[in-house]
Amino acid sequence: MKIFKKLLKLYIAFFKVGLLTIGGGYAMLPIIEQELVKDLGLLTMDEVVESYTLSQTLPGVIASNAAALIGYRLGKIKGAIVCVLGVITPSIIIILLIAMIFTRIEHLAIVQSAFKGIRVVVLALLFDSFTRLYKVAVFDRKTFMIAMIAFILVLFSLINPILVIIAGGFAGVAIYRERVNG
């Protein structure tokens, strides 16, 4: 019964993440922090960022990748399945509801105005996620330089983002190898 309660808590936490994350995977970080770090105390922020960072390197949707990685960390296979189901359930329900009514109401001025307001809130959530990730990921001049080079390469579409992520991994290994070997 104890495992059932833990899995239920994970499902509910990721249901909230899935329900409240409008704007993609980056907007979910503050919600995950609130639910899993502050409210439930199941992870540290470093563990969340580690899982979140790894989830970005995998193919697929960041939200479900992060849910699977965090779920596995907290409850192995069952945890991964429960967290992924939790994070995708709200989207499935919302998409079905929207599909049934949106074509009937999309032309209404109030709906168009609501989406303008939602986009601004999503921008604020993305900025909040950026500042949280920055505080955890950029901790010295070397990581700042990696971040700036990656930002420029991605911003100007000079290199495929996947290659930038891989290069960042290699740069981290090359720069911080002596800390690991020690």
Side-chain angles (χ1 to χ4, degrees), residues 110-124:
I110 193 166
V111 172
Q112 293 174 2
S113 297
F115 276 107
K116 288 178 184 175
I118 290 170
R119 280 192 288 261
V120 174
V121 171
V122 169
L123 178 63

Side-chain angles (χ1 to χ4, degrees), residues 7 21 47-48 50 76 79 103-104 111 119 122 132 140:
L7 292 174
T21 302
E47 290 171 322
V48 170
E50 183 180 288
K76 301 298 176 204
T103 55
R104 296 180 186 152
V111 172
R119 280 192 288 261
V122 169
R132 289 171 190 270
D140 62 12

Side-chain angles (χ1 to χ4, degrees), residues 29-30 33 123-133:
L29 196 59
E33 179 185 13
L123 178 63
L125 288 171
L126 291 172
F127 185 74
D128 180 60
S129 293
F130 167 78
T131 57
R132 289 171 190 270
L133 283 171

Side-chain angles (χ1 to χ4, degrees), residues 9-35:
K9 284 182 181 182
L10 289 174
Y11 179 84
I12 292 169
F14 275 93
F15 186 91
K16 289 177 187 177
V17 169
L19 183 64
L20 301 174
T21 302
I22 299 172
Y26 297 107
M28 71 188 275
L29 196 59
I31 301 166
I32 288 177
E33 179 185 13
Q34 182 66 44
E35 291 295 318

